[in-house]
Amino acid sequence: MIPARTIVVEDANEVDRRLADLGLIREQLTAVASVAKTWADDASPLMPTNAPGTLAYIYGVNELREQLLDDSWKVDRTCGIEAVINRELGLRIGYQNVDRACDVHFPPTPRSAKGSASENLCGPNLFERAGIEAGPLTGVRSDGVPSFYVMVGEDGSVELSQPIIANGSFKHFVERIFISAPGDDWLEEIDPDTGPIDDFDISVRFKDSA
């Protein structure tokens, strides 16, 4: 079965409009990424090797809830997946560490394999499991609530995306909403006094013959 094409929202104005449709604002998600990266970077070399990812996950989930929980958004643990849910909007949001986000050519890859619980929430539907082509992937979950993830890259990049999960990884994306990619504007951030020189003359002179 050939999956439907992924919807990619990357224009800044379109991103803000799409987030508004979901009852969100950009700053809520950049705050999640900032907190997660801060804790990952704070991991001591003496800690276990998985400490950066574990700290990012713990405090990323915590900050996601700090940012969203109110009368509409509630804590959700369906299938054992830590998330938040808005029943009025019909939307679930979890947290995910990925290699990188906001790259249109290279979709995010989870930094650790996804388990069966994630696949139950975000996996192929029953038609696909039976090998029946029933139409485009819809991302409808076992309880009928689409599940998005705040995906935070190792560089702090962040997107809000709706994956289809199979065999421990992301099989396909229904939608990707690019929130922030810190590396995009590096040319504008170079200090002219300390940045690389790209235009200079080299003085050349011949050695005097003996």
Side-chain angles (χ1 to χ4, degrees), residues 28-38 63 95 150 152 156-158:
Q28 292 171 313
L29 306 184
T30 54
V32 173
S34 177
V35 167
K37 188 173 188 305
T38 296
E63 185 62 23
Y95 175 90
V150 178
V152 178
S157 55
V158 56

Side-chain angles (χ1 to χ4, degrees), residues 167-189:
N167 300 319
S169 192
F170 301 143
K171 174 184 177 183
H172 176 68
F173 285 86
V174 177
E175 182 175 8
R176 299 177 63 197
I177 305 169
F178 292 2
I179 308 300
S180 175
D184 287 348
D185 300 323
W186 69 274
L187 285 174
E188 298 176 6
E189 296 171 0

Side-chain angles (χ1 to χ4, degrees), residues 6 25 29 122 124-125 203:
T6 300
I25 59 173
L29 306 184
C122 308
N125 59 41
S203 230

Side-chain angles (χ1 to χ4, degrees), residues 69-207:
L69 292 184
D70 58 15
D71 292 338
S72 299
W73 290 96
K74 307 296 182 184
V75 170
D76 183 66
R77 295 188 172 97
T78 302
C79 293
I81 305 301
E82 298 289 344
V84 294
I85 193 167
N86 187 319
R87 296 288 181 184
E88 296 173 10
L89 293 174
L91 177 66
R92 174 185 292 109
I93 302 177
Y95 175 90
Q96 177 67 53
N97 291 320
V98 295
D99 56 348
R100 56 185 165 185
C102 300
D103 188 325
V104 69
H105 301 295
F106 297 96
T109 297
R111 287 173 60 187
S112 58
K114 306 301 293 176
S116 58
S118 297
E119 187 168 338
N120 287 337
L121 272 186
C122 308
N125 59 41
L126 294 177
F127 292 102
E128 291 176 291
R129 289 183 188 278
I132 299 171
E133 185 170 343
L137 294 173
T138 62
V140 173
R141 313 303 182 235
S142 57
D143 61 355
V145 179
S147 296
F148 282 72
Y149 285 84
V150 178
M151 298 190 176
V152 178
E154 294 184 71
D155 61 352
S157 55
V158 56
E159 64 180 73
L160 180 67
S161 294
Q162 184 185 5
I164 299 297
I165 297 173
N167 300 319
S169 192
F170 301 143
K171 174 184 177 183
H172 176 68
F173 285 86
V174 177
E175 182 175 8
R176 299 177 63 197
I177 305 169
F178 292 2
I179 308 300
S180 175
D184 287 348
D185 300 323
W186 69 274
L187 285 174
E188 298 176 6
E189 296 171 0
I190 293 176
D191 184 334
D193 295 328
T194 59
I197 300 172
D198 59 4
D199 185 15
F200 60 95
D201 295 323
I202 300 176
S203 230
V204 178
R205 68 182 180 85
F206 293 100
K207 182 178 180 181

